[in-house]
Amino acid sequence: MSSNRRAFLGAVAAAAIAPHLAHAQSQPVRLVVPFSAGSGTDALARALADAITRSSGRPVMVDNKVGAGSVIGSLEVMRARPDGNTLLSTTGAHTTNAVLIKSLPFDPIADFTPIARISLSSGFALMVGEKSPYKSLDQLLTAAKGQPGRLSYASAGIGNPTHVMGALFCKGVGVDMLHVPFKGTPTLELIAGTVDSAFIAPAIAGPQIRAGQLRALAISGPTRSRILPDVPTLEELGLKIQEVAAWWGIFGPARMSPDVVRSAYETMAKAVQLPAFKAFIHENGLESEVPMPPDQFKAYVTSEIERYRKVLPPLGIQLS
């Protein structure tokens, strides 16, 4: 086939596809959040939805599909048409679930199209309530070692990254603490004092931190948090603990065409540049970055799953 004929056929194919792509892109975007309304992750998704609408003119509906540690919402997107109109806004739970849930009803790589990692924070903050008697990590560890199994750490659910981070911490420092899972971020329980501690992303607990209701003792990531500059990292305190990355990103169903993926990524990249969204990200302690593009995001998710296959099994966390 001559190059001229190939070019002609390519142009015909593009012309045939263009109306369908344009029609799909004129439809409202359904942004599925597999976490509860009012949660920190939900707030991030709603801020992004607003930014997309403001920058592109496309209406975005945030749809909370809660249950099974984010699996219900992920399934909703996996089963959607790959036209770019239904997207998944999720966190590192997408990668930890890949290892912890033996009967996971989807492949976290093959059944989704990574579109963009929107943000990455400096890790999780080990939090206590403002009325907690523990003013430092050393005080908390001393109490935990002196009362095995009595002090608690809360999480946003069994197998959630906040649970995994807590389990890695306990194993790494050699303490026995009671895990107390909740269906959402346990900020209210920490404030009330019904649980002793929890690992929470600073971006999620930002409002309570600013209100003085929560106190951070340490940061799990490699660097200090921008909104908690006086809080040391675990490594600074002499502890080497495996980290659970606190990231947030967007996926679509599998089989999205390259044109639809590119359009979705460009929409995200444009939206996050809006001053209001950048201010929101900054205020909540997230790293303001150019969204990680699809190919790099897929490689990142794949590498995280491989890392977790090595470090998570010894924790003994099992999900059906």
Side-chain angles (χ1 to χ4, degrees), residues 8-31:
F8 172 75
L9 291 176
V12 170
I17 293 171
H20 298 286
L21 182 61
H23 175 71
Q25 292 175 342
S26 69
Q27 302 301 305
V29 176
R30 180 180 174 222
L31 191 60

Side-chain angles (χ1 to χ4, degrees), residues 13-104:
I17 293 171
H20 298 286
L21 182 61
H23 175 71
Q25 292 175 342
S26 69
Q27 302 301 305
V29 176
R30 180 180 174 222
L31 191 60
V32 176
V33 179
F35 304 100
S36 60
S39 66
T41 307
D42 176 67
L44 294 173
R46 291 179 187 278
L48 178 63
D50 181 68
I52 291 172
T53 299
R54 289 175 180 273
S55 62
S56 70
R58 293 188 71 183
V60 181
M61 177 187 72
V62 174
D63 188 5
N64 298 90
K65 292 292 182 180
V66 186
S70 81
V71 171
I72 300 300
S74 298
L75 272 174
E76 190 84 5
V77 174
M78 184 199 77
R79 294 166 176 160
R81 293 181 61 184
D83 56 10
N85 291 332
T86 302
L87 302 174
L88 175 67
S89 172
T90 192
T91 67
H94 194 75
T95 49
T96 54
N97 283 346
V99 178
L100 297 177
I101 302 179
K102 292 185 177 181
S103 57
L104 192 66

Side-chain angles (χ1 to χ4, degrees), residues 95 109 296-307 309:
T95 49
I109 301 296
Q296 291 181 32
F297 188 29
K298 181 177 181 179
Y300 173 77
V301 169
T302 302
S303 67
E304 281 292 276
I305 292 174
E306 289 306 310
R307 180 169 73 90
R309 291 194 194 283

